[in-house]
Amino acid sequence: MRLANHDGRAVILTDDTTGFDVATASEGRFGPGIQGIYDDWDAFTAWAAGASGDSVSIEEAKLGPLTPRPFQSFGVGLNYADHVAESGMGTPDALPPVFPKFQSSIAGPYETVELVPGGKTDWEAELVIVVGRKAHKIAEGTGWDYVAGLTVGQDLSERVTQLQPPSPQFGLGKSFPGYSPQGPWLVTPDELPNRDDLVITGELDGEVVQSGHTGQMIFDVPSIIEKLSQIVVLQPGDVIYSGTPSGVGFTREPEWLIQPGQTLTTTIEGIGTIRQTFV
Ligand code: ZN
């Protein structure tokens, strides 16, 4: 199943350009907004398997984030070996480095993002995980059972704030308005030929700046869920940005950062493409 947040309402896609409204088709049992659907995800997917409804045309400009109001929103750092190497940091071992991507930074897939004046804004193409079941101290190897679906995201990062002394500010540096775009829709794992290994690509003004695949993750999707759940209680509708492959801008010589007027495009195999323009 592919699920969109279209004009503030949950819509199940029937193809790339059409779908049907969840609240209308379910006579109010689910929706109209997308966030509440995750609270009753198992019942929703059981209903959705046999559901249909009047056709709604999908308009790109009306697509919003898949988790507009998550209970919790996380980012995972240093989760691809080649990105660890370019960052010059150590490789995580027992626990992935985790920081908050505060809720007010979450944006839809095709929005204009205002660059932080005087800052250094960088790209980080990422697979985004949406939680579908409460998870606390879950068993190793069971993480996929707690995933509602996957989407495409950018962990946009303002490096001056992020790395300022005396203590790095990963949460704040990555949480300016619009700095956590996601979309264009949620794809349930069963739709993907290989949910554990998806090609992920980032392009700046049409030039490929990042190219990797999610099979390279140090902590894979089920492992991220399992590790986080040992400490926090994950709730349905929580969102996790799962880390970026190599090719970010701030480690290049010379530094390469997003400029006003540029367009950033991020694509994940089997899911879709998001696009930000910057002012
Ligand atoms: Zn990141």
Side-chain angles (χ1 to χ4, degrees):
M1 176 177 54
R2 291 188 297 169
L3 184 67
N5 175 7
H6 187 254
D7 207 13
R9 298 177 69 90
V11 169
I12 294 174
L13 295 180
T14 44
D15 59 42
D16 283 354
T17 55
T18 50
F20 61 90
D21 186 86
V22 168
T24 306
S26 70
E27 294 177 331
R29 184 176 170 201
F30 303 104
I34 196 168
Q35 190 72 49
I37 285 178
Y38 302 115
D39 293 334
D40 208 5
W41 185 250
D42 288 340
F44 170 71
T45 53
W47 167 81
S52 61
D54 294 340
S55 185
V56 173
S57 290
I58 301 296
E59 293 174 44
E60 199 175 273
K62 290 184 177 175
L63 288 172
L66 283 314
T67 61
R69 292 186 311 281
F71 183 69
Q72 299 170 109
S73 178
F74 306 87
V76 173
L78 304 175
N79 202 22
Y80 290 75
D82 52 1
H83 176 60
V84 172
E86 72 180 355
S87 301
M89 294 180 175
T91 302
D93 180 12
L95 198 61
V98 170
F99 50 87
K101 277 186 76 71
F102 293 106
Q103 209 185 106
S104 61
S105 67
I106 290 174
Y110 304 119
E111 295 187 21
T112 299
V113 180
E114 193 174 329
L115 293 166
V116 177
K120 295 180 174 183
T121 296
D122 201 350
W123 55 83
E124 293 193 359
E126 306 203 359
L127 178 72
V128 172
I129 307 160
V130 178
V131 176
R133 286 178 181 158
K134 181 177 172 178
H136 189 218
K137 297 185 185 297
I138 67 165
E140 197 175 340
T142 64
W144 276 118
D145 296 344
Y146 299 85
V147 175
L150 303 172
T151 191
V152 182
Q154 268 285 339
D155 175 22
L156 293 171
S157 303
E158 198 285 288
R159 302 298 188 191
V160 177
T161 305
Q162 181 192 340
L163 300 171
Q164 71 179 258
S167 169
Q169 294 271 15
F170 275 62
L172 292 177
K174 293 162 173 274
S175 291
F176 290 93
Y179 275 48
S180 305
Q182 47 168 262
W185 31 69
L186 187 85
V187 178
T188 52
D190 59 290
E191 293 273 335
L192 299 163
N194 184 356
R195 64 188 184 182
D196 291 299
D197 195 16
L198 306 169
V199 175
I200 177 167
T201 310
E203 293 177 45
L204 188 67
D205 281 349
E207 181 170 349
V208 175
V209 289
Q210 292 191 278
S211 180
H213 54 102
T214 62
Q216 297 170 311
M217 286 180 176
I218 296 169
F219 296 94
D220 61 13
V221 171
S223 176
I224 291 169
I225 302 282
E226 186 249 317
K227 299 285 185 189
L228 278 174
S229 86
Q230 301 310 312
I231 296 174
V232 299
V233 183
L234 292 172
Q235 299 289 345
D238 279 359
V239 63
I240 305 164
Y241 290 68
S242 64
T244 197
S246 64
V248 297
F250 84 113
T251 60
R252 295 173 186 235
E253 289 283 351
E255 231 172 23
W256 195 3
L257 299 160
I258 299 172
Q259 304 300 321
Q262 290 191 309
T263 298
L264 183 65
T265 309
T266 311
T267 301
I268 298 180
E269 176 188 11
I271 304 177
T273 297
I274 64 170
R275 185 182 62 249
Q276 287 71 51
T277 50
F278 296 89
V279 294

